[in-house]
Amino acid sequence: MADAVHPADKPAAFPYEGPEALRLPIEQALRRVVDPELAMSIVDVGLVYGVTLADDVLRVHLTMTSAACPVTDLIVDEAGTELDRVVPGGVAIDVQLVWEPPWTPERMSARAKAFMGW
């Protein structure tokens, strides 16, 4: 039987600052958000640049693979909806779209690269 991997022992899918108890629920919520053009989670695609929870505000920095992405609003809205399901009441959710640094395929997880045949 394989040893269980504690979430803190896994490499971080994205930078996170906040209560450790919310790290995994937040990551799981963001993994439920799928980029419909690629049929993969935004975490695996590497669109999540970072998450910070402080002063009752959850800030999520997301990017898109292209500034011309036709599903940007859908992804941002879905991220907010999924996060709202896991954060405590009274925590505001602020999903911010960022363009720096620009997204590159190197940000994709090994799983996503394998799926794409890279």
Side-chain angles (χ1 to χ4, degrees), residues 52-77:
T52 303
L53 177 55
D55 302 323
D56 292 327
V57 178
L58 177 66
R59 286 191 176 79
V60 179
H61 290 156
L62 293 181
T63 196
M64 297 295 128
T65 57
S66 160
C69 179
V71 294
T72 299
D73 291 341
L74 176 71
I75 290 172
V76 169
D77 290 347

Side-chain angles (χ1 to χ4, degrees), residues 14 16 22-33 42-43 48 50-53 57-62 75-89 91-96:
F14 48 81
Y16 173 83
L22 289 175
R23 176 190 300 267
L24 186 57
I26 288 170
E27 181 177 338
Q28 290 171 334
L30 291 171
R31 285 188 181 280
R32 288 191 295 270
V33 179
I42 62 172
V43 174
V48 181
V51 174
T52 303
L53 177 55
V57 178
L58 177 66
R59 286 191 176 79
V60 179
H61 290 156
L62 293 181
I75 290 172
V76 169
D77 290 347
E78 192 173 333
T81 298
E82 289 297 332
L83 290 165
D84 191 47
R85 294 177 181 176
V86 299
V87 297
V91 172
I93 298 169
D94 181 19
V95 179
Q96 299 176 358

Side-chain angles (χ1 to χ4, degrees), residues 7 10 14 20 26 33-34 39-40 44 57 70 72 79 84-86 92-93 98-99 102 108-109 112 118:
K10 287 181 12 183
F14 48 81
E20 189 59 36
I26 288 170
V33 179
V34 173
M40 287 185 279
D44 283 325
V57 178
T72 299
D84 191 47
R85 294 177 181 176
V86 299
I93 298 169
V98 298
W99 301 107
M108 295 174 80
S109 70
W118 297 356

